[in-house]
Amino acid sequence: RTVPNRLKLLRQRIEDGAGLLMCGGYFSFQGIDGKARWRRTPIEDVLPVTCLPWDDRVEIPEGTSGEIVLQDHPTVAGLNESWPYLLGVNEVELREREDVKLVARLPADQGAHPLLVVGEYGAGRSAAWTSDIGPHWLSPAFCEWSGYQRLWRNLLGWLTRHENAN
């Protein structure tokens, strides 16, 4: 029996004005051994990044910190201090669209991989956070950081067009 393609329905929802956040991890973007398989799906269509066709995990056991590239973006309002270290990201590529904004990345000596990228899709918005949202690639220091809550409130506020809800 056939059923509606839920990924296409979600893409339409974003196009109609909803927000989508994809966060990194072992089964995000392409993930471990490429098994997440978000590449070339309706979900990838709405993201401000594209997925690589292979295992995209970048492990950084020595730790690295994000660098804000777009200081005036609402997603990083009030987060100008140094960010605690993180331990990995999913490697992605920025989409070449006018609406796509690289907000934060890893330092150049760690490949300058995108960390936070935002974009518009139709009437909706999407964001890619390429590291974890909790312990594994986020260090305990990051999870306990005073800016942790502000980062997520900023990001979710931007996605839902409630930027001033902080």
Side-chain angles (χ1 to χ4, degrees), residues 113-151:
H113 297 290
L115 178 59
L116 176 58
V117 186
V118 298
E120 310 272 337
Y121 187 82
R125 290 178 168 179
S126 67
W129 169 261
T130 61
S131 194
D132 263 326
I133 60 171
H136 181 72
W137 280 342
L138 288 192
S139 66
F142 199 105
C143 295
E144 295 165 7
W145 171 46
S146 62
Y148 181 83
Q149 181 180 357
R150 177 179 288 277
L151 172 65

Side-chain angles (χ1 to χ4, degrees), residues 72-153:
D72 62 346
H73 198 271
T75 57
V76 291
L79 297 174
N80 296 328
E81 76 261 24
S82 294
W83 291 13
Y85 66 93
L86 33 99
L87 301 167
V89 296
N90 292 91
E91 183 179 0
V92 297
E93 294 180 343
L94 293 175
R95 282 197 185 274
E96 294 191 25
R97 290 192 325 230
E98 192 173 305
D99 64 286
V100 170
K101 308 286 186 238
L102 175 65
V103 179
R105 67 174 183 217
L106 300 188
D109 67 346
Q110 291 290 344
H113 297 290
L115 178 59
L116 176 58
V117 186
V118 298
E120 310 272 337
Y121 187 82
R125 290 178 168 179
S126 67
W129 169 261
T130 61
S131 194
D132 263 326
I133 60 171
H136 181 72
W137 280 342
L138 288 192
S139 66
F142 199 105
C143 295
E144 295 165 7
W145 171 46
S146 62
Y148 181 83
Q149 181 180 357
R150 177 179 288 277
L151 172 65
W152 297 112
R153 288 182 68 149

Side-chain angles (χ1 to χ4, degrees), residues 6-34:
R6 291 181 181 142
L7 300 181
K8 288 181 180 178
L9 294 173
L10 186 54
R11 177 180 60 196
Q12 185 61 54
R13 212 35 207 109
I14 307 310
E15 191 170 350
D16 291 344
L20 176 73
L21 170 62
M22 182 175 273
C23 296
Y26 272 31
F27 283 103
S28 230
F29 302 101
Q30 277 305 87
I32 188 169
D33 300 327

